[in-house]
Amino acid sequence: MITTGQIIRCKAAVAWEAGKPLVMEEVEVAPPQKHEVRIKILFTSLCHTDVYFWEAKGQTPLFPRIFGHEAGGIVESVGEGVTDLAPGDHVLPVFTGECGDCPHCHSEESNMCDLLRINTERGGMIHDGESRFSIDGKPIYHFVGTSTFSEYTVVHSGQVAKINPDAPLDKVCIVSCGLSTGLGATLNVAKPKKGQSVAIFGLGAVGLAAAEGARIAGASRIIGVDLNSKRFDEAKKFGVTEFVNPKDHDKPVQQVIAEMTNGGVDRSVECTGSVQAMIQALECVHDGWGVAVLVGVPSKDDAFKTHPMNLLNERTLKGTFFGNYKPKTDIPGVVEKYMNKELELEKFITHTVPFSEINKAFDYILKGESIRCIITMGA
């Protein structure tokens, strides 16, 4: 391509300071270096993680920065040493990676790559620590190695999943973060059998994806637990059959669920980050075979306690990161689930905005009005 090896000037939505609206700027995007690819982003979406770090809650603020990590695009050019990707490939950049060489990548049980595991503090590329974005020669920092709120971005090749070119990027772009996190927590970690019961704690985007996983697995009862009763009607589209609002009961919600299910659900998936919900998720599963899976990220100093008998009575507590999916190996298969009509993505997409109106996506998510808002680049 004519741009190969050249600096590309394009539009990016830059966060200059915490909590302030993103500003459309012309940025310079440098060519990819060793083990990097430059991608033309066609569609991106907004995730709560972007909002959390844009608000600069709980970590060292790093600005100016280009956020964004759920996206779909086409490879424009590749750097030295990249052999598995080529210009023209349809891809999803992912916030975590798969180097292929570390013990985690060699393990069938782990997706927590030593080299490319998510790092929210890093503002440059792994190869040299430098940013590939600049304005008037001054660097603009990267976010989780993806920075998809730019018409072009540079990503480590280990964080890029090559997908079916027939897959619509305006739909499958949401697969690269929250959807896979919830879906995989159920299908890969909780692993409900057909006909079993599943409780989902938290009915945001990740929780609804976990419910979608339970639906795909053939669960007979999917019990949604949320403090917001308005979420139940939406949750029915994702297979949720019953709803429990802890505020409606004068007894612990784990006791309510146990009474509803003759001793407890077979599986539970916690998607809130609340330690109280984590305890409830463990204690609501049936003794003897119940499995509880933790997905939500707690606050830094959080801890929870439960009686050891809850585990000695043959309940299992598990944790998961990104649904136990390896980005390069497994994410193309999630896209195929959509292409084969096993997985429904359209119902997750509640809004669409042009790139020039990206701040509307922040408004929708802050007001709790959207599950996923697709941002159309070049519009």
Side-chain angles (χ1 to χ4, degrees):
M1 296 176 78
I2 199 162
T3 51
T4 301
Q6 306 294 313
I7 288 172
I8 289 178
R9 289 175 178 82
C10 68
K11 288 180 185 172
V14 177
W16 287 99
E17 52 185 307
K20 295 292 176 68
L22 306 189
V23 180
M24 274 302 160
E25 304 281 9
E26 182 177 86
V27 298
E28 294 187 340
V29 185
Q33 301 302 303
K34 190 174 183 180
H35 300 310
E36 296 172 1
V37 299
R38 189 161 57 183
I39 301 167
K40 181 178 184 178
I41 299 295
L42 298 181
F43 300 94
T44 186
S45 64
L46 180 64
C47 168
H48 274 283
T49 304
D50 294 307
V51 176
Y52 180 84
F53 286 93
W54 166 72
E55 292 177 325
K57 290 182 175 177
Q59 88 290 335
T60 308
L62 192 59
F63 295 95
R65 203 169 202 183
I66 297 173
F67 287 101
H69 64 280
E70 285 189 353
I74 297 174
V75 173
E76 175 269 336
S77 59
V78 302
E80 178 191 343
V82 177
T83 57
D84 60 334
L85 295 162
D89 285 346
H90 286 222
V91 295
L92 303 181
V94 185
F95 67 92
T96 188
E98 184 181 351
C99 73
D101 294 324
C102 71
H104 285 280
C105 288
H106 286 158
S107 166
E108 292 181 3
E109 299 177 45
S110 175
N111 65 344
M112 300 187 73
C113 175
D114 281 333
L115 179 66
L116 298 171
R117 190 181 306 183
I118 183 173
N119 183 327
T120 59
E121 304 283 331
R122 188 188 298 124
M125 298 299 290
I126 284 177
H127 174 62
D128 57 9
E130 300 294 322
S131 174
R132 303 290 175 259
F133 299 107
S134 62
I135 296 178
D136 296 330
K138 295 177 181 175
I140 308 295
Y141 295 113
H142 293 250
F143 178 64
V144 296
T146 52
S147 293
T148 61
F149 295 165
S150 174
E151 291 176 328
Y152 286 85
T153 188
V154 176
V155 182
H156 191 287
S157 63
Q159 290 181 242
V160 180
K162 180 181 175 180
I163 62 165
N164 184 340
D166 294 330
L169 290 171
D170 61 332
K171 306 294 189 298
V172 300
C173 62
I174 67 171
V175 166
S176 58
C177 179
L179 182 125
S180 294
T181 296
L183 185 77
T186 303
L187 292 178
N188 298 336
V189 187
K191 297 181 180 176
K193 298 181 177 71
K194 189 173 183 179
Q196 287 191 321
S197 57
V198 181
I200 309 290
F201 286 77
L203 296 174
V206 174
L208 292 174
E212 177 76 355
R215 182 193 68 77
I216 291 170
S220 60
R221 297 176 73 181
I222 304 173
I223 302 169
V225 183
D226 202 289
L227 295 169
N228 182 357
S229 297
K230 291 178 182 175
R231 286 180 158 179
F232 186 40
D233 277 344
E234 190 77 40
K236 289 177 183 175
K237 299 178 191 173
F238 300 82
V240 175
T241 57
E242 297 150 83
F243 185 73
V244 176
N245 186 333
K247 293 191 290 190
D248 294 341
H249 301 274
D250 56 7
K251 61 180 80 168
V253 72
Q254 54 268 53
Q255 190 178 333
V256 174
I257 293 172
E259 290 171 2
M260 289 170 64
T261 55
N262 194 28
V265 287
D266 301 300
R267 302 288 186 265
S268 70
V269 184
E270 179 283 320
C271 303
T272 70
S274 156
V275 289
Q276 187 176 5
M278 293 175 187
I279 296 165
Q280 294 164 348
L282 171 63
E283 296 182 357
C284 81
V285 298
H286 206 291
D287 59 2
W289 62 81
V291 177
V293 178
L294 306 186
V295 181
V297 179
S299 296
K300 182 173 66 170
D301 299 321
D302 277 346
F304 70 82
K305 65 178 183 179
T306 188
H307 198 284
M309 287 307 297
N310 286 319
L311 298 171
L312 293 170
N313 285 337
E314 299 183 1
R315 293 178 182 87
T316 300
L317 179 64
K318 292 184 172 185
T320 177
F321 169 69
F322 191 47
N324 277 41
Y325 287 118
K326 292 179 185 283
K328 293 177 77 74
T329 302
D330 298 330
I331 291 305
V334 179
V335 171
E336 290 309 306
K337 281 185 185 294
Y338 169 73
M339 297 298 283
N340 296 334
K341 296 185 166 46
E342 294 173 63
L343 170 63
E344 298 169 7
L345 295 180
E346 285 81 359
K347 59 194 177 186
F348 288 89
I349 299 166
T350 52
H351 298 78
T352 304
V353 298
F355 188 36
S356 59
E357 297 177 16
I358 189 171
N359 288 304
K360 282 186 179 177
F362 283 77
D363 293 338
Y364 293 139
I365 208 167
L366 289 167
K367 291 176 184 173
E369 294 175 359
S370 70
I371 301 173
R372 277 295 180 268
C373 178
I374 301 299
I375 298 152
T376 304
M377 311 301 280

